[in-house]
Amino acid sequence: MSTPRTTMQSERVQKIAFTNDQMDRRAVWTNAQRHEHAFRKVLHRMGFEQSFPMELAGGNGFTNMAVSVLDCQQASGSGPRLLIPVDPQSHPDERLIEASLARSIGLMLADAEMYGQICVDTYGDLLSLFSNRPEASLQCLDFMAGPHDGLLFHAEFLRLNHDFSTTRSRRIASDIQELIEAIDFDLREHDRNVAVLTINELGSYRRKITGLAAHVLELAGISPDDLPLLFDDDGDHPFTSVDGSLPFSAGRFYWSRGTLECSLEMRKGRCWIDGRRAILSHPSNLPATTLSSCVGRRLKTLLQIEGLEFEAIIRGVHAKRDCIVLEIEMSMIEFPDQIDER
């Protein structure tokens, strides 16, 4: 497992520890190669090594063994493959691999003509979803070994992430309509990301960071020079405080439509900041007139957190049974990188 990232390239003392419990990429790749070796060994023992070529395939957060079983071709230039999912954190079991290969290859060959035609027809239906969508493209349509008898649809496609990087995504479904609806959902999110793209003078996508996130990183002792490496993917980056002087005990950084934001859990409680909302435990001494008049005012006129200074305007107030939710608008600054290496 990867160790918490408590040191960076800069000489600053970092006051937070990232707690993402994922294996580092090199470890994932090394373990995946062990699985690939085991699959090739089993295919050779079964006498299928020459008949069914195999390769290691995957994307962000998933790894598959891709076996070429059918000869039909898609518009992408390759035939539908048989995908067998692999957990890179597990140890390969050759008995399970052989059973999975025998069952899945047998299913595909028994109805080869049907699976081939379904793949050709479905690929054409999916292509229409990607027309006139910049930064998005259908990469391939395959079949995946399912938990029961039968095969699942497995589609891979490129789309724009919240951090404005292009990522390889996938959707798995048991029928065509379910697959189309799932991909359409992802592409609508892709469209919203494309809609807020800003291009800088160098032709690169311009990302931003909220004033709160920038201030938290400064308090944590993280240099701006380290940010492009630290936040180089679209996932959440949870952290805990390792310095008692910080006003927050934990939080997370995350990307939202090209902007790096953060959520915080305050050390003294009674207040939480969730992205662009501040949540207060319902103070009994706060007059209703104060709440009704604070919209449009600076957040610090209503809420002051010792040791946490950032500019925000209150845009809405919602009084719940046991808390008050403040919708806030924060200042933005440009994220310190150029992401034209796409």
Side-chain angles (χ1 to χ4, degrees), residues 71-143:
D71 294 328
C72 61
Q73 297 290 304
Q74 307 177 134
S76 64
S78 63
R81 302 167 299 175
L82 168 65
L83 303 181
I84 300 178
V86 165
D87 177 9
Q89 300 188 44
S90 68
H91 186 76
D93 186 324
E94 293 185 12
R95 291 175 300 176
L96 293 179
I97 291 173
E98 183 170 350
S100 180
L101 283 171
R103 181 176 68 88
S104 301
I105 290 176
L107 284 171
M108 210 165 186
L109 289 179
D111 291 300
E113 185 175 350
M114 178 193 73
Y115 280 116
Q117 190 59 49
I118 288 176
C119 189
V120 171
D121 294 342
T122 305
Y123 192 90
D125 293 337
L126 294 179
L127 274 180
S128 63
L129 296 176
F130 292 85
S131 61
N132 300 318
R133 273 191 159 115
E135 304 291 340
S137 61
L138 179 62
Q139 296 296 292
C140 58
L141 177 65
D142 299 304
F143 294 102

Side-chain angles (χ1 to χ4, degrees), residues 264-323:
L264 295 175
E265 179 181 334
M266 296 305 155
R267 194 175 294 280
K268 295 182 180 181
R270 300 182 62 83
C271 175
W272 298 264
I273 298 179
D274 180 23
R276 303 187 190 190
R277 289 180 295 274
I279 305 169
L280 314 178
S281 295
H282 213 313
S284 57
N285 61 346
L286 192 61
T289 54
T290 301
L291 289 178
S292 62
S293 64
C294 68
V295 175
R297 297 166 59 188
R298 298 167 73 183
L299 178 64
K300 63 175 61 177
T301 63
L302 182 66
L303 172 66
Q304 293 188 11
I305 303 173
E306 185 178 354
L308 191 64
E309 298 288 339
F310 67 100
E311 290 296 325
I313 302 297
I314 300 173
R315 295 304 184 191
V317 180
H318 311 282
K320 307 296 182 181
R321 186 174 62 179
D322 55 356
C323 69

Side-chain angles (χ1 to χ4, degrees), residues 130-139 157-161 164-168 187 190-191 193-195 197 199 203-205 339 342:
F130 292 85
S131 61
N132 300 318
R133 273 191 159 115
E135 304 291 340
S137 61
L138 179 62
Q139 296 296 292
F157 52 97
L158 299 180
R159 65 179 179 86
L160 203 67
N161 256 337
F164 290 168
S165 65
T166 301
T167 188
R168 177 179 289 267
L187 290 179
H190 162 90
D191 293 341
N193 290 333
V194 170
L197 283 177
I199 308 298
S204 302
Y205 295 144
I339 57 171
R342 302 177 58 79

Side-chain angles (χ1 to χ4, degrees), residues 12 27 36 38-39 42 156 167-168 195 218 285 296 306 319 323 334:
R12 300 187 182 190
E36 180 184 18
F39 267 80
V42 171
E156 294 184 27
T167 188
R168 177 179 289 267
E218 182 182 8
N285 61 346
E306 185 178 354
C323 69
E334 189 168 339

